[in-house]
Amino acid sequence: LSETLEKALADALGPRAVTTEREAFAVNTRDWRGRYKGEARCMVQPTDTTSVSKAIRICAAHSAQVVPQGGNTGVCGGAIPDRTGKQVILNLARLNKVRSFDPIGNIATVEAGCILAEVRRRADEIDRIFPLDLGSEGSCQIGGNVASNAGGTGVLRYGNMRDLVLGLEVVLPDGRIWNGLRGLRKDNAGYDLKQLFIGSEGTLGVITAAAIKLFPKPRASATGFVALPSNQAALELFLRLRSVCGARLTAAELMSKRQLAAVCQHIDRAKSPIRTAAPWYLLAELNDTDPSADLRRMLESVLGKALEDGLVADGAVAASSREADAFWHLRHSVSEANVRSGRVVSHDTSVPIASVPQFIERAQSELSAAFRDDYALHFVGHMGDGNVHVVAIFPSTHNDSDLACAAATANTVVHDIAVSLGGSIAAEHGIGQSLRDQLLRYKDTVELDLMRGLKTWLDPAGMMNPGKVVLPNGGPRLT
Amino acid sequence: LSETLEKALADALGPRAVTTEREAFAVNTRDWRGRYKGEARCMVQPTDTTSVSKAIRICAAHSAQVVPQGGNTGVCGGAIPDRTGKQVILNLARLNKVRSFDPIGNIATVEAGCILAEVRRRADEIDRIFPLDLGSEGSCQIGGNVASNAGGTGVLRYGNMRDLVLGLEVVLPDGRIWNGLRGLRKDNAGYDLKQLFIGSEGTLGVITAAAIKLFPKPRASATGFVALPSNQAALELFLRLRSVCGARLTAAELMSKRQLAAVCQHIDRAKSPIRTAAPWYLLAELNDTDPSADLRRMLESVLGKALEDGLVADGAVAASSREADAFWHLRHSVSEANVRSGRVVSHDTSVPIASVPQFIERAQSELSAAFRDDYALHFVGHMGDGNVHVVAIFPSTHNDSDLACAAATANTVVHDIAVSLGGSIAAEHGIGQSLRDQLLRYKDTVELDLMRGLKTWLDPAGMMNPGKVVLPNGGPRLT
């Protein structure tokens, strides 16, 4: 190796593909929330799969570690390099061609760097939807969505990103390209290799393109916002909606009273459509491909009966799509409202749906025992997925060290409860670097050994996004 | 090792768990169609997961290869031992406890040996469905369904078995038990290990239990049977149904004229509900959780418009559930009718949905060039999945060697066409032993290397169901 890594990359990919000035890629070395800050040796931005392959081979030859990065919208530090300044950021933003949109197969084949919102817009143009629904849709990229098995508000009806992927193209840690970009609804020809890479957060290879499922566009919609006397009532209302509305039920989003109050306090044009104060709120949405479906009547009928039965304290059904947007505005503004409320420690837990009320009660009581009055507690989540985000808000006067201390306590409390109920510490955001050591606390030896074995098999040199998700065999273990 | 394998197994699991007399397990050494016939050293039938673990450890200590077996309903020889008489059949039939049915989470947790029909019956009792819909439901077992990623007629709406699995319990090739039996709708806490075992056909471990998804029970239904002038018209009708009916469309089953004629000729109570002769037929079913949904009207409206547009030649909508059953009787009798028609060579190909007409035309023309008039050609399949079974029927006078020769030719013709259209040679039945060498023909080196690497990583001794799906690294390759 007579030449530097940077020169080899520039020679192979062209000088514009390699950025070596630190200021030019400073934004790529930290996450948008400012929680993780790393350094990098350089940033590579290939425009095609062959270039990704070349870049990986060159990095391997120089023993340089690679951090794949999409839209950098993650919250677990999964796309941020470490602090050594020796890692290479492999940014996929320019690998962003739409390869095909197939309205018959209902399949889009898109490169990793395609922006989610753009893919959704293109689907809309051909009268289809791509149902992955994330607050970050304007920045996040399909490759990152696949690598993190993204969730969001459409999971109840359409599944996680894993369920939306039919095929993948991946550059392996040895630089070879695996072409598994098949658009088939059924394929049992050997092991389903794409599953290895979905949700692996860039630690096993670089996803360069995906064949994803489109769906018929809904032609009718109804959105309701209801106040509930208890989270148990929220669960029961969800069960009724699921039973009657079936696949029409596309969202069932839970919010606690304090969460809604924070949104209304801090966010422009945020106003609860309900006057009745209640401890819990549920936003429910129905959709149907049949334009003549009377979904408002269906929703009102379920809600009316629930009102009679005392399950619902009050409710509003949107009279127009503008009103529905206003309801959703409340939900989509949660993260921003929380950041404005103080210093945020949030969790991404899931539990079996039946355990949601118990999970909430226990989190409430144990956090309040741990923190007394020195914090505010917000709950927001996806009722139908059992995915409740517990958000503890500490005073703005807390410094970083106070906050780190509070976060450690809150994590242990919340994660212990979730796992004791058969739940997960990472429902939809992933592990990244933030939860890697928590994984060691909650996974048993067999499962950790399998994860380490998988990492070691596919990436024996430990070159791909090291330090994220899990350390390979032989790596340090938590003591 | 001072004692024999058989004695060690009997000592650890009890004498009733081990069968050594060959006649007593003869039926377990061959498949129901009589295509594969092996020998085995003994058959083990554990009743709990710990016993499976013990059995695997004992077999490993004795270097005995293990062939896991469920209901033995497969068609690719995946559960049949080889002819050496040295392998151990691990039959899961007695590991058949229902661990839980959770109507809130819509999750059933069942052991591998539970019969599919029984699981479906139990779901029905609590007002839910388990939507995996296979002709073999009365014999096949959940463990086998998971291990083979079973398909069937419900895939269009509910997905393959892979999509229906939330968690797994697996005994690894080293005898350790991996407990991944979580009933969570969202879980991104590290690599999704269950995906490794789903569809791996017993080659990577033994699935001992699964947490599977239940769904709300449909309360309204409509079933239609239509005659179509062309397979292109069948595709277009499917697209119209998908667009309007959305998730209501639960089945769209295609049948060729000769296939329907064979069913009507050979099967009791099989009668086409349509008098108009046409080259193609489609059975379509709609379902809805809303009891007041007028699905007959919806179906008739789409079919009526299609009739006007010349897409449909004739059609019948079932007036009662009995009539709907009669329509389905035609579809479910296909395998039996084909066996009675002559000597069968069938295929399990899938292609992108848009390519179904082209696939059929090419298969028809190339097979007819290969076999002239010496055969009959039936098509039956799942239009919405692009999964068309090409069934070539040869005269009963063909002996085994004639048939093997014809099968080799037909396989090459049909598989070449499917793969050239971006399709798969194994859509829903799996690879087993029957397609293992075909896999070598159609998969590229990178994909085969990954499959071999996965096998070698998880089962370094090559102990689990050897010879099925793929050979490990270092095994012989096709020349």
Side-chain angles (χ1 to χ4, degrees), chain B residues 222-225 241 245 249 284-286 294-304 316-318:
Chain B
T223 310
F225 194 87
L241 287 165
C245 309
L249 183 61
E285 185 171 295
L286 308 183
D294 191 350
L295 297 184
R296 272 197 68 176
R297 210 187 60 170
M298 177 177 260
L299 186 55
E300 281 166 356
S301 146
V302 176
L303 296 183
V317 173

mmCIF file with all atom_site columns, all heavy atoms in Angstrom, chain B residues 222-225 241 245 249 284-286 294-304 316-318:
data_model
loop_
_atom_site.group_PDB
_atom_site.id
_atom_site.type_symbol
_atom_site.label_atom_id
_atom_site.label_alt_id
_atom_site.label_comp_id
_atom_site.label_asym_id
_atom_site.label_entity_id
_atom_site.label_seq_id
_atom_site.pdbx_PDB_ins_code
_atom_site.Cartn_x
_atom_site.Cartn_y
_atom_site.Cartn_z
_atom_site.occupancy
_atom_site.B_iso_or_equiv
_atom_site.pdbx_formal_charge
_atom_site.auth_seq_id
_atom_site.auth_comp_id
_atom_site.auth_asym_id
_atom_site.auth_atom_id
_atom_site.pdbx_PDB_model_num
ATOM 1   N N   . ALA B 1 222 ? -67.386 -12.955 0.516   1.00 0.00 ? 222 ALA B N   1
ATOM 2   C CA  . ALA B 1 222 ? -67.983 -13.170 -0.807  1.00 0.00 ? 222 ALA B CA  1
ATOM 3   C C   . ALA B 1 222 ? -66.968 -13.905 -1.658  1.00 0.00 ? 222 ALA B C   1
ATOM 4   O O   . ALA B 1 222 ? -65.770 -13.611 -1.594  1.00 0.00 ? 222 ALA B O   1
ATOM 5   C CB  . ALA B 1 222 ? -68.372 -11.847 -1.458  1.00 0.00 ? 222 ALA B CB  1
ATOM 6   N N   . THR B 1 223 ? -67.474 -14.862 -2.423  1.00 0.00 ? 223 THR B N   1
ATOM 7   C CA  . THR B 1 223 ? -66.582 -15.686 -3.228  1.00 0.00 ? 223 THR B CA  1
ATOM 8   C C   . THR B 1 223 ? -67.099 -15.725 -4.656  1.00 0.00 ? 223 THR B C   1
ATOM 9   O O   . THR B 1 223 ? -68.296 -15.963 -4.886  1.00 0.00 ? 223 THR B O   1
ATOM 10  C CB  . THR B 1 223 ? -66.526 -17.118 -2.663  1.00 0.00 ? 223 THR B CB  1
ATOM 11  O OG1 . THR B 1 223 ? -66.269 -17.039 -1.258  1.00 0.00 ? 223 THR B OG1 1
ATOM 12  C CG2 . THR B 1 223 ? -65.422 -17.931 -3.316  1.00 0.00 ? 223 THR B CG2 1
ATOM 13  N N   . GLY B 1 224 ? -66.214 -15.491 -5.598  1.00 0.00 ? 224 GLY B N   1
ATOM 14  C CA  . GLY B 1 224 ? -66.608 -15.513 -6.999  1.00 0.00 ? 224 GLY B CA  1
ATOM 15  C C   . GLY B 1 224 ? -65.753 -16.482 -7.790  1.00 0.00 ? 224 GLY B C   1
ATOM 16  O O   . GLY B 1 224 ? -64.609 -16.757 -7.430  1.00 0.00 ? 224 GLY B O   1
ATOM 17  N N   . PHE B 1 225 ? -66.341 -17.006 -8.857  1.00 0.00 ? 225 PHE B N   1
ATOM 18  C CA  . PHE B 1 225 ? -65.608 -17.893 -9.748  1.00 0.00 ? 225 PHE B CA  1
ATOM 19  C C   . PHE B 1 225 ? -65.877 -17.393 -11.156 1.00 0.00 ? 225 PHE B C   1
ATOM 20  O O   . PHE B 1 225 ? -67.037 -17.315 -11.574 1.00 0.00 ? 225 PHE B O   1
ATOM 21  C CB  . PHE B 1 225 ? -66.104 -19.337 -9.565  1.00 0.00 ? 225 PHE B CB  1
ATOM 22  C CG  . PHE B 1 225 ? -65.205 -20.369 -10.170 1.00 0.00 ? 225 PHE B CG  1
ATOM 23  C CD1 . PHE B 1 225 ? -64.135 -20.879 -9.447  1.00 0.00 ? 225 PHE B CD1 1
ATOM 24  C CD2 . PHE B 1 225 ? -65.415 -20.833 -11.470 1.00 0.00 ? 225 PHE B CD2 1
ATOM 25  C CE1 . PHE B 1 225 ? -63.295 -21.829 -9.997  1.00 0.00 ? 225 PHE B CE1 1
ATOM 26  C CE2 . PHE B 1 225 ? -64.564 -21.778 -12.022 1.00 0.00 ? 225 PHE B CE2 1
ATOM 27  C CZ  . PHE B 1 225 ? -63.505 -22.288 -11.287 1.00 0.00 ? 225 PHE B CZ  1
ATOM 28  N N   . LEU B 1 241 ? -59.479 -5.824  -8.697  1.00 0.00 ? 241 LEU B N   1
ATOM 29  C CA  . LEU B 1 241 ? -59.944 -6.259  -7.377  1.00 0.00 ? 241 LEU B CA  1
ATOM 30  C C   . LEU B 1 241 ? -59.043 -5.706  -6.280  1.00 0.00 ? 241 LEU B C   1
ATOM 31  O O   . LEU B 1 241 ? -59.501 -5.199  -5.255  1.00 0.00 ? 241 LEU B O   1
ATOM 32  C CB  . LEU B 1 241 ? -59.971 -7.791  -7.306  1.00 0.00 ? 241 LEU B CB  1
ATOM 33  C CG  . LEU B 1 241 ? -61.088 -8.490  -8.094  1.00 0.00 ? 241 LEU B CG  1
ATOM 34  C CD1 . LEU B 1 241 ? -60.796 -9.975  -8.248  1.00 0.00 ? 241 LEU B CD1 1
ATOM 35  C CD2 . LEU B 1 241 ? -62.443 -8.274  -7.406  1.00 0.00 ? 241 LEU B CD2 1
ATOM 36  N N   . CYS B 1 245 ? -60.793 -3.380  -3.639  1.00 0.00 ? 245 CYS B N   1
ATOM 37  C CA  . CYS B 1 245 ? -61.105 -4.138  -2.425  1.00 0.00 ? 245 CYS B CA  1
ATOM 38  C C   . CYS B 1 245 ? -59.986 -4.069  -1.385  1.00 0.00 ? 245 CYS B C   1
ATOM 39  O O   . CYS B 1 245 ? -60.224 -4.325  -0.203  1.00 0.00 ? 245 CYS B O   1
ATOM 40  C CB  . CYS B 1 245 ? -61.391 -5.596  -2.772  1.00 0.00 ? 245 CYS B CB  1
ATOM 41  S SG  . CYS B 1 245 ? -62.621 -5.785  -4.093  1.00 0.00 ? 245 CYS B SG  1
ATOM 42  N N   . LEU B 1 249 ? -59.406 -8.358  -0.246  1.00 0.00 ? 249 LEU B N   1
ATOM 43  C CA  . LEU B 1 249 ? -59.095 -9.414  -1.211  1.00 0.00 ? 249 LEU B CA  1
ATOM 44  C C   . LEU B 1 249 ? -58.153 -10.419 -0.553  1.00 0.00 ? 249 LEU B C   1
ATOM 45  O O   . LEU B 1 249 ? -56.966 -10.154 -0.364  1.00 0.00 ? 249 LEU B O   1
ATOM 46  C CB  . LEU B 1 249 ? -58.443 -8.811  -2.461  1.00 0.00 ? 249 LEU B CB  1
ATOM 47  C CG  . LEU B 1 249 ? -58.118 -9.790  -3.598  1.00 0.00 ? 249 LEU B CG  1
ATOM 48  C CD1 . LEU B 1 249 ? -59.383 -10.458 -4.131  1.00 0.00 ? 249 LEU B CD1 1
ATOM 49  C CD2 . LEU B 1 249 ? -57.376 -9.073  -4.716  1.00 0.00 ? 249 LEU B CD2 1
ATOM 50  N N   . ALA B 1 284 ? -61.951 -15.804 -6.674  1.00 0.00 ? 284 ALA B N   1
ATOM 51  C CA  . ALA B 1 284 ? -61.598 -14.633 -5.862  1.00 0.00 ? 284 ALA B CA  1
ATOM 52  C C   . ALA B 1 284 ? -62.444 -14.623 -4.595  1.00 0.00 ? 284 ALA B C   1
ATOM 53  O O   . ALA B 1 284 ? -63.638 -14.916 -4.634  1.00 0.00 ? 284 ALA B O   1
ATOM 54  C CB  . ALA B 1 284 ? -61.846 -13.346 -6.649  1.00 0.00 ? 284 ALA B CB  1
ATOM 55  N N   . GLU B 1 285 ? -61.802 -14.312 -3.488  1.00 0.00 ? 285 GLU B N   1
ATOM 56  C CA  . GLU B 1 285 ? -62.558 -14.233 -2.232  1.00 0.00 ? 285 GLU B CA  1
ATOM 57  C C   . GLU B 1 285 ? -62.300 -12.911 -1.532  1.00 0.00 ? 285 GLU B C   1
ATOM 58  O O   . GLU B 1 285 ? -61.161 -12.454 -1.430  1.00 0.00 ? 285 GLU B O   1
ATOM 59  C CB  . GLU B 1 285 ? -62.189 -15.389 -1.306  1.00 0.00 ? 285 GLU B CB  1
ATOM 60  C CG  . GLU B 1 285 ? -63.054 -15.387 -0.041  1.00 0.00 ? 285 GLU B CG  1
ATOM 61  C CD  . GLU B 1 285 ? -62.875 -16.643 0.800   1.00 0.00 ? 285 GLU B CD  1
ATOM 62  O OE1 . GLU B 1 285 ? -63.242 -17.723 0.320   1.00 0.00 ? 285 GLU B OE1 1
ATOM 63  O OE2 . GLU B 1 285 ? -62.368 -16.520 1.929   1.00 0.00 ? 285 GLU B OE2 1
ATOM 64  N N   . LEU B 1 286 ? -63.372 -12.304 -1.044  1.00 0.00 ? 286 LEU B N   1
ATOM 65  C CA  . LEU B 1 286 ? -63.281 -11.087 -0.231  1.00 0.00 ? 286 LEU B CA  1
ATOM 66  C C   . LEU B 1 286 ? -63.713 -11.428 1.192   1.00 0.00 ? 286 LEU B C   1
ATOM 67  O O   . LEU B 1 286 ? -64.609 -12.240 1.400   1.00 0.00 ? 286 LEU B O   1
ATOM 68  C CB  . LEU B 1 286 ? -64.200 -9.989  -0.778  1.00 0.00 ? 286 LEU B CB  1
ATOM 69  C CG  . LEU B 1 286 ? -64.098 -9.625  -2.257  1.00 0.00 ? 286 LEU B CG  1
ATOM 70  C CD1 . LEU B 1 286 ? -65.038 -8.452  -2.566  1.00 0.00 ? 286 LEU B CD1 1
ATOM 71  C CD2 . LEU B 1 286 ? -62.669 -9.278  -2.629  1.00 0.00 ? 286 LEU B CD2 1
ATOM 72  N N   . ASP B 1 294 ? -71.201 -5.171  2.579   1.00 0.00 ? 294 ASP B N   1
ATOM 73  C CA  . ASP B 1 294 ? -71.902 -5.855  1.490   1.00 0.00 ? 294 ASP B CA  1
ATOM 74  C C   . ASP B 1 294 ? -70.870 -6.274  0.433   1.00 0.00 ? 294 ASP B C   1
ATOM 75  O O   . ASP B 1 294 ? -70.709 -5.633  -0.601  1.00 0.00 ? 294 ASP B O   1
ATOM 76  C CB  . ASP B 1 294 ? -72.965 -4.929  0.893   1.00 0.00 ? 294 ASP B CB  1
ATOM 77  C CG  . ASP B 1 294 ? -73.893 -5.689  -0.049  1.00 0.00 ? 294 ASP B CG  1
ATOM 78  O OD1 . ASP B 1 294 ? -73.594 -6.862  -0.371  1.00 0.00 ? 294 ASP B OD1 1
ATOM 79  O OD2 . ASP B 1 294 ? -74.912 -5.107  -0.445  1.00 0.00 ? 294 ASP B OD2 1
ATOM 80  N N   . LEU B 1 295 ? -70.208 -7.358  0.711   1.00 0.00 ? 295 LEU B N   1
ATOM 81  C CA  . LEU B 1 295 ? -69.112 -7.779  -0.161  1.00 0.00 ? 295 LEU B CA  1
ATOM 82  C C   . LEU B 1 295 ? -69.605 -8.378  -1.470  1.00 0.00 ? 295 LEU B C   1
ATOM 83  O O   . LEU B 1 295 ? -68.921 -8.287  -2.489  1.00 0.00 ? 295 LEU B O   1
ATOM 84  C CB  . LEU B 1 295 ? -68.216 -8.781  0.575   1.00 0.00 ? 295 LEU B CB  1
ATOM 85  C CG  . LEU B 1 295 ? -67.506 -8.243  1.816   1.00 0.00 ? 295 LEU B CG  1
ATOM 86  C CD1 . LEU B 1 295 ? -66.579 -9.311  2.378   1.00 0.00 ? 295 LEU B CD1 1
ATOM 87  C CD2 . LEU B 1 295 ? -66.706 -6.992  1.490   1.00 0.00 ? 295 LEU B CD2 1
ATOM 88  N N   . ARG B 1 296 ? -70.780 -9.012  -1.431  1.00 0.00 ? 296 ARG B N   1
ATOM 89  C CA  . ARG B 1 296 ? -71.316 -9.537  -2.683  1.00 0.00 ? 296 ARG B CA  1
ATOM 90  C C   . ARG B 1 296 ? -71.511 -8.405  -3.675  1.00 0.00 ? 296 ARG B C   1
ATOM 91  O O   . ARG B 1 296 ? -71.149 -8.511  -4.837  1.00 0.00 ? 296 ARG B O   1
ATOM 92  C CB  . ARG B 1 296 ? -72.667 -10.235 -2.453  1.00 0.00 ? 296 ARG B CB  1
ATOM 93  C CG  . ARG B 1 296 ? -72.518 -11.699 -2.087  1.00 0.00 ? 296 ARG B CG  1
ATOM 94  C CD  . ARG B 1 296 ? -73.832 -12.446 -2.270  1.00 0.00 ? 296 ARG B CD  1
ATOM 95  N NE  . ARG B 1 296 ? -74.212 -12.559 -3.675  1.00 0.00 ? 296 ARG B NE  1
ATOM 96  C CZ  . ARG B 1 296 ? -75.271 -13.225 -4.095  1.00 0.00 ? 296 ARG B CZ  1
ATOM 97  N NH1 . ARG B 1 296 ? -76.061 -13.836 -3.224  1.00 0.00 ? 296 ARG B NH1 1
ATOM 98  N NH2 . ARG B 1 296 ? -75.550 -13.292 -5.378  1.00 0.00 ? 296 ARG B NH2 1
ATOM 99  N N   . ARG B 1 297 ? -72.073 -7.308  -3.178  1.00 0.00 ? 297 ARG B N   1
ATOM 100 C CA  . ARG B 1 297 ? -72.296 -6.169  -4.066  1.00 0.00 ? 297 ARG B CA  1
ATOM 101 C C   . ARG B 1 297 ? -70.977 -5.631  -4.604  1.00 0.00 ? 297 ARG B C   1
ATOM 102 O O   . ARG B 1 297 ? -70.849 -5.283  -5.777  1.00 0.00 ? 297 ARG B O   1
ATOM 103 C CB  . ARG B 1 297 ? -73.075 -5.067  -3.343  1.00 0.00 ? 297 ARG B CB  1
ATOM 104 C CG  . ARG B 1 297 ? -73.927 -4.254  -4.297  1.00 0.00 ? 297 ARG B CG  1
ATOM 105 C CD  . ARG B 1 297 ? -74.562 -3.079  -3.622  1.00 0.00 ? 297 ARG B CD  1
ATOM 106 N NE  . ARG B 1 297 ? -73.560 -2.161  -3.070  1.00 0.00 ? 297 ARG B NE  1
ATOM 107 C CZ  . ARG B 1 297 ? -73.824 -0.965  -2.588  1.00 0.00 ? 297 ARG B CZ  1
ATOM 108 N NH1 . ARG B 1 297 ? -75.069 -0.540  -2.565  1.00 0.00 ? 297 ARG B NH1 1
ATOM 109 N NH2 . ARG B 1 297 ? -72.874 -0.197  -2.107  1.00 0.00 ? 297 ARG B NH2 1
ATOM 110 N N   . MET B 1 298 ? -69.991 -5.545  -3.708  1.00 0.00 ? 298 MET B N   1
ATOM 111 C CA  . MET B 1 298 ? -68.683 -5.043  -4.128  1.00 0.00 ? 298 MET B CA  1
ATOM 112 C C   . MET B 1 298 ? -68.085 -5.943  -5.205  1.00 0.00 ? 298 MET B C   1
ATOM 113 O O   . MET B 1 298 ? -67.595 -5.478  -6.239  1.00 0.00 ? 298 MET B O   1
ATOM 114 C CB  . MET B 1 298 ? -67.759 -4.969  -2.910  1.00 0.00 ? 298 MET B CB  1
ATOM 115 C CG  . MET B 1 298 ? -66.341 -4.525  -3.233  1.00 0.00 ? 298 MET B CG  1
ATOM 116 S SD  . MET B 1 298 ? -65.331 -4.381  -1.723  1.00 0.00 ? 298 MET B SD  1
ATOM 117 C CE  . MET B 1 298 ? -65.388 -2.624  -1.452  1.00 0.00 ? 298 MET B CE  1
ATOM 118 N N   . LEU B 1 299 ? -68.137 -7.247  -4.967  1.00 0.00 ? 299 LEU B N   1
ATOM 119 C CA  . LEU B 1 299 ? -67.575 -8.196  -5.926  1.00 0.00 ? 299 LEU B CA  1
ATOM 120 C C   . LEU B 1 299 ? -68.337 -8.145  -7.245  1.00 0.00 ? 299 LEU B C   1
ATOM 121 O O   . LEU B 1 299 ? -67.743 -8.095  -8.336  1.00 0.00 ? 299 LEU B O   1
ATOM 122 C CB  . LEU B 1 299 ? -67.610 -9.604  -5.321  1.00 0.00 ? 299 LEU B CB  1
ATOM 123 C CG  . LEU B 1 299 ? -66.933 -10.737 -6.098  1.00 0.00 ? 299 LEU B CG  1
ATOM 124 C CD1 . LEU B 1 299 ? -65.485 -10.400 -6.414  1.00 0.00 ? 299 LEU B CD1 1
ATOM 125 C CD2 . LEU B 1 299 ? -67.008 -12.048 -5.302  1.00 0.00 ? 299 LEU B CD2 1
ATOM 126 N N   . GLU B 1 300 ? -69.666 -8.136  -7.144  1.00 0.00 ? 300 GLU B N   1
ATOM 127 C CA  . GLU B 1 300 ? -70.483 -8.097  -8.362  1.00 0.00 ? 300 GLU B CA  1
ATOM 128 C C   . GLU B 1 300 ? -70.248 -6.820  -9.151  1.00 0.00 ? 300 GLU B C   1
ATOM 129 O O   . GLU B 1 300 ? -70.267 -6.827  -10.386 1.00 0.00 ? 300 GLU B O   1
ATOM 130 C CB  . GLU B 1 300 ? -71.973 -8.236  -7.998  1.00 0.00 ? 300 GLU B CB  1
ATOM 131 C CG  . GLU B 1 300 ? -72.363 -9.678  -7.704  1.00 0.00 ? 300 GLU B CG  1
ATOM 132 C CD  . GLU B 1 300 ? -73.724 -9.813  -7.011  1.00 0.00 ? 300 GLU B CD  1
ATOM 133 O OE1 . GLU B 1 300 ? -74.343 -8.768  -6.696  1.00 0.00 ? 300 GLU B OE1 1
ATOM 134 O OE2 . GLU B 1 300 ? -74.135 -10.962 -6.776  1.00 0.00 ? 300 GLU B OE2 1
ATOM 135 N N   . SER B 1 301 ? -70.004 -5.744  -8.441  1.00 0.00 ? 301 SER B N   1
ATOM 136 C CA  . SER B 1 301 ? -69.779 -4.481  -9.126  1.00 0.00 ? 301 SER B CA  1
ATOM 137 C C   . SER B 1 301 ? -68.470 -4.527  -9.924  1.00 0.00 ? 301 SER B C   1
ATOM 138 O O   . SER B 1 301 ? -68.423 -4.118  -11.088 1.00 0.00 ? 301 SER B O   1
ATOM 139 C CB  . SER B 1 301 ? -69.796 -3.354  -8.091  1.00 0.00 ? 301 SER B CB  1
ATOM 140 O OG  . SER B 1 301 ? -68.909 -2.341  -8.427  1.00 0.00 ? 301 SER B OG  1
ATOM 141 N N   . VAL B 1 302 ? -67.409 -5.044  -9.321  1.00 0.00 ? 302 VAL B N   1
ATOM 142 C CA  . VAL B 1 302 ? -66.131 -5.147  -10.053 1.00 0.00 ? 302 VAL B CA  1
ATOM 143 C C   . VAL B 1 302 ? -66.260 -6.133  -11.212 1.00 0.00 ? 302 VAL B C   1
ATOM 144 O O   . VAL B 1 302 ? -65.823 -5.858  -12.337 1.00 0.00 ? 302 VAL B O   1
ATOM 145 C CB  . VAL B 1 302 ? -64.987 -5.589  -9.104  1.00 0.00 ? 302 VAL B CB  1
ATOM 146 C CG1 . VAL B 1 302 ? -63.693 -5.794  -9.881  1.00 0.00 ? 302 VAL B CG1 1
ATOM 147 C CG2 . VAL B 1 302 ? -64.786 -4.567  -7.999  1.00 0.00 ? 302 VAL B CG2 1
ATOM 148 N N   . LEU B 1 303 ? -66.906 -7.270  -10.954 1.00 0.00 ? 303 LEU B N   1
ATOM 149 C CA  . LEU B 1 303 ? -67.039 -8.285  -12.004 1.00 0.00 ? 303 LEU B CA  1
ATOM 150 C C   . LEU B 1 303 ? -67.957 -7.798  -13.134 1.00 0.00 ? 303 LEU B C   1
ATOM 151 O O   . LEU B 1 303 ? -67.692 -8.047  -14.314 1.00 0.00 ? 303 LEU B O   1
ATOM 152 C CB  . LEU B 1 303 ? -67.574 -9.605  -11.421 1.00 0.00 ? 303 LEU B CB  1
ATOM 153 C CG  . LEU B 1 303 ? -66.672 -10.310 -10.407 1.00 0.00 ? 303 LEU B CG  1
ATOM 154 C CD1 . LEU B 1 303 ? -67.294 -11.629 -9.963  1.00 0.00 ? 303 LEU B CD1 1
ATOM 155 C CD2 . LEU B 1 303 ? -65.272 -10.536 -10.975 1.00 0.00 ? 303 LEU B CD2 1
ATOM 156 N N   . GLY B 1 304 ? -69.016 -7.091  -12.753 1.00 0.00 ? 304 GLY B N   1
ATOM 157 C CA  . GLY B 1 304 ? -69.942 -6.578  -13.768 1.00 0.00 ? 304 GLY B CA  1
ATOM 158 C C   . GLY B 1 304 ? -69.244 -5.623  -14.715 1.00 0.00 ? 304 GLY B C   1
ATOM 159 O O   . GLY B 1 304 ? -69.379 -5.718  -15.945 1.00 0.00 ? 304 GLY B O   1
ATOM 160 N N   . ALA B 1 316 ? -69.681 -16.354 -11.622 1.00 0.00 ? 316 ALA B N   1
ATOM 161 C CA  . ALA B 1 316 ? -70.694 -16.693 -10.632 1.00 0.00 ? 316 ALA B CA  1
ATOM 162 C C   . ALA B 1 316 ? -70.218 -16.191 -9.278  1.00 0.00 ? 316 ALA B C   1
ATOM 163 O O   . ALA B 1 316 ? -69.034 -16.305 -8.947  1.00 0.00 ? 316 ALA B O   1
ATOM 164 C CB  . ALA B 1 316 ? -70.890 -18.204 -10.580 1.00 0.00 ? 316 ALA B CB  1
ATOM 165 N N   . VAL B 1 317 ? -71.129 -15.586 -8.535  1.00 0.00 ? 317 VAL B N   1
ATOM 166 C CA  . VAL B 1 317 ? -70.816 -15.203 -7.157  1.00 0.00 ? 317 VAL B CA  1
ATOM 167 C C   . VAL B 1 317 ? -71.618 -16.126 -6.248  1.00 0.00 ? 317 VAL B C   1
ATOM 168 O O   . VAL B 1 317 ? -72.827 -16.305 -6.446  1.00 0.00 ? 317 VAL B O   1
ATOM 169 C CB  . VAL B 1 317 ? -71.153 -13.729 -6.902  1.00 0.00 ? 317 VAL B CB  1
ATOM 170 C CG1 . VAL B 1 317 ? -70.980 -13.377 -5.428  1.00 0.00 ? 317 VAL B CG1 1
ATOM 171 C CG2 . VAL B 1 317 ? -70.264 -12.829 -7.757  1.00 0.00 ? 317 VAL B CG2 1
ATOM 172 N N   . ALA B 1 318 ? -70.941 -16.723 -5.290  1.00 0.00 ? 318 ALA B N   1
ATOM 173 C CA  . ALA B 1 318 ? -71.595 -17.715 -4.435  1.00 0.00 ? 318 ALA B CA  1
ATOM 174 C C   . ALA B 1 318 ? -72.748 -17.080 -3.675  1.00 0.00 ? 318 ALA B C   1
ATOM 175 O O   . ALA B 1 318 ? -72.604 -16.007 -3.082  1.00 0.00 ? 318 ALA B O   1
ATOM 176 C CB  . ALA B 1 318 ? -70.590 -18.314 -3.453  1.00 0.00 ? 318 ALA B CB  1
#
